[in-house]
Amino acid sequence: DAGVIQSPRHEVTEMGQEVTLRCKPISGHDYLFWYRQTMMRGLELLIYFNNNVPIDDSGMPEDRFSAKMPNASFSTLKIQPSEPRDSAVYFCASRPRDLSGNTIYFGEGSWLTVV
Amino acid sequence: DAKTTQPTSMDCAEGRAANLPCNHSTISGNEYVYWYRQIHSQGPQYIIHGLKNNETNEMASLIITEDRKSSTLILPHATLRDTAVYYCIVRAATSGTYKYIFGTGTRLKVLA
């Protein structure tokens, strides 16, 4: 199993530019999660999907952030326009369908720097 | 969601057992306790989870108290590669939602 695959691994962009982060979950997993990690706030859940449908987006910081999951094997997190305070590591994670005790598996993260 | 409390940091000598405590006094009956760790610059890695019985796998053991209000993760023979931040989280599973909320974790440093 290839695990959760994220791209790009590192991105540096200028303030105001659009940023698109991509995620391929583990095949067969029904849930997909987007997290953001900063030194100040730790690991925060932004949004999660079940069967490609957004279930809870209460962690999305503001309208500049949007996430989509057009199919079971692909999701994007967009920031438009980007700001320096969006600099963080963005993790995607996935988990199998609803069985008690199932855990989530993380990708290696996308390191975003907005200058 | 049940909240967890962990010490900010701990040291452990290489080769000794590392015992990482976690308090989750408001845990409800159907919530699992999960442990993850994050080695610098990597994504969090699953270690172990349990509901009420003690659990063991190739990485660690999980001891959950009878009242389920606290648990301890045990790394039986810590190595330098076990230096990481360890997160204890409780899975909120109400009304079909599955939020995994990470706290600040315990920064474990294994000393040579």
Side-chain angles (χ1 to χ4, degrees):
Chain A
D1 199 328
V4 176
I5 299 172
Q6 293 187 242
S7 64
R9 288 296 316 276
H10 299 271
E11 177 150 347
V12 181
T13 191
E14 291 186 345
M15 183 173 63
Q17 297 298 306
E18 177 179 291
V19 173
T20 299
L21 307 177
R22 299 173 177 80
C23 176
K24 177 179 168 53
I26 294 172
S27 178
H29 283 195
D30 289 353
Y31 290 83
L32 183 139
F33 304 78
W34 282 101
Y35 284 83
R36 176 175 69 175
Q37 187 170 36
T38 61
M39 288 292 292
M40 292 295 293
R41 301 176 68 90
L43 202 56
E44 304 173 276
L45 176 63
L46 300 178
I47 185 172
Y48 79 93
F49 296 81
N50 179 21
N51 291 323
N52 314 335
V53 177
I55 302 301
D56 190 327
D57 65 354
S58 59
M60 295 286 264
E62 48 197 277
D63 292 345
R64 298 183 299 104
F65 286 70
S66 63
K68 293 182 179 179
M69 192 165 186
N71 58 62
S73 59
F74 183 67
S75 176
T76 59
L77 178 67
K78 281 191 180 179
I79 309 172
Q80 168 62 21
S82 59
E83 298 181 3
R85 61 192 167 120
D86 301 329
S87 297
V89 185
Y90 291 82
F91 289 104
C92 178
S94 69
R95 62 158 272 175
R97 64 187 170 92
D98 187 10
L99 295 174
S100 294
N102 271 338
T103 187
I104 58 176
Y105 299 88
F106 284 81
E108 290 303 304
S110 292
W111 294 66
L112 174 65
T113 302
V114 183
V115 297
Chain B
D1 297 351
K3 298 195 186 302
T4 62
T5 305
Q6 300 177 252
T8 303
S9 63
M10 293 180 62
D11 291 342
C12 176
E14 188 179 20
R16 305 296 294 267
N19 297 288
L20 293 92
C22 179
N23 287 321
H24 31 78
S25 58
T26 59
I27 193 170
S28 60
N30 67 343
E31 291 181 317
Y32 287 76
V33 180
Y34 290 82
W35 282 85
Y36 286 78
R37 73 179 181 184
Q38 187 174 24
I39 297 170
H40 182 62
S41 302
Q42 298 181 20
Q45 175 193 23
Y46 166 78
I47 301 173
I48 198 168
H49 73 279
L51 184 61
K52 50 185 167 182
N53 297 322
N54 297 339
E55 302 288 344
T56 296
N57 63 21
E58 65 279 4
M59 291 182 68
S61 294
L62 173 61
I63 309 298
I64 303 174
T65 57
E66 193 169 339
D67 63 7
R68 302 186 71 239
K69 293 185 177 183
S70 66
S71 61
T72 301
L73 178 74
I74 301 173
L75 308 178
H77 306 286
T79 70
L80 298 178
R81 287 177 294 180
D82 293 321
T83 293
V85 178
Y86 287 77
Y87 296 98
C88 165
I89 66 173
V90 173
R91 181 179 73 115
T94 57
S95 303
T97 65
Y98 294 94
K99 285 187 172 184
Y100 294 76
I101 307 299
F102 287 74
T104 54
T106 295
R107 188 171 297 275
L108 174 70
K109 185 183 292 185
V110 180
L111 306 173

